Amino acid sequence: ARQICATHEDMDKALRVEHSEAVILRGINWDGSLIRVWRDAESSNFSITQTYVNGTSCMIINGKNLDTIIWFLEPKQEEPEL
């Protein structure tokens, strides 16, 4: 499969306007690139993009039926002092 890359602005426009997706998660990768998860609220289609420091954005993967799962760790209980 061929990876799709474009300028940051063009990738944003394509996902927002043409695919009706919005960013739901984002974070910085170890190499300084921006990772974003996009989702269409109605169809649950999704995309994951990586934007490099030079301004190029690449589609990492896209798919359908993205589900939201809420997950967290229980807070640690502190040991009582004696």
Side-chain angles (χ1 to χ4, degrees):
R2 180 177 65 94
Q3 189 174 38
I4 299 169
C5 296
T7 66
H8 178 74
E9 294 79 14
D10 288 347
M11 183 70 73
D12 277 19
K13 183 179 177 184
L15 290 172
R16 288 180 197 277
V17 176
E18 297 171 26
H19 298 280
S20 301
E21 293 185 9
V23 176
I24 60 167
L25 296 168
R26 65 180 176 199
I28 303 297
N29 194 12
W30 296 109
D31 64 2
S33 61
L34 175 65
I35 303 296
R36 294 185 294 171
V37 178
W38 300 73
R39 184 176 187 265
D40 179 324
E42 292 185 22
S43 70
S44 296
N45 290 342
F46 71 95
S47 303
I48 300 176
T49 60
Q50 184 170 16
T51 303
Y52 298 94
V53 293
N54 69 2
T56 300
S57 289
C58 296
M59 179 76 62
I60 303 302
I61 194 168
N62 58 4
K64 59 184 179 177
N65 299 325
L66 182 68
D67 290 327
T68 302
I69 299 171
I70 298 174
W71 178 84
F72 64 94
L73 294 175
E74 292 290 329
K76 290 184 179 180
Q77 299 293 324
E78 296 203 19
E79 296 291 324
E81 289 189 29
L82 299 176

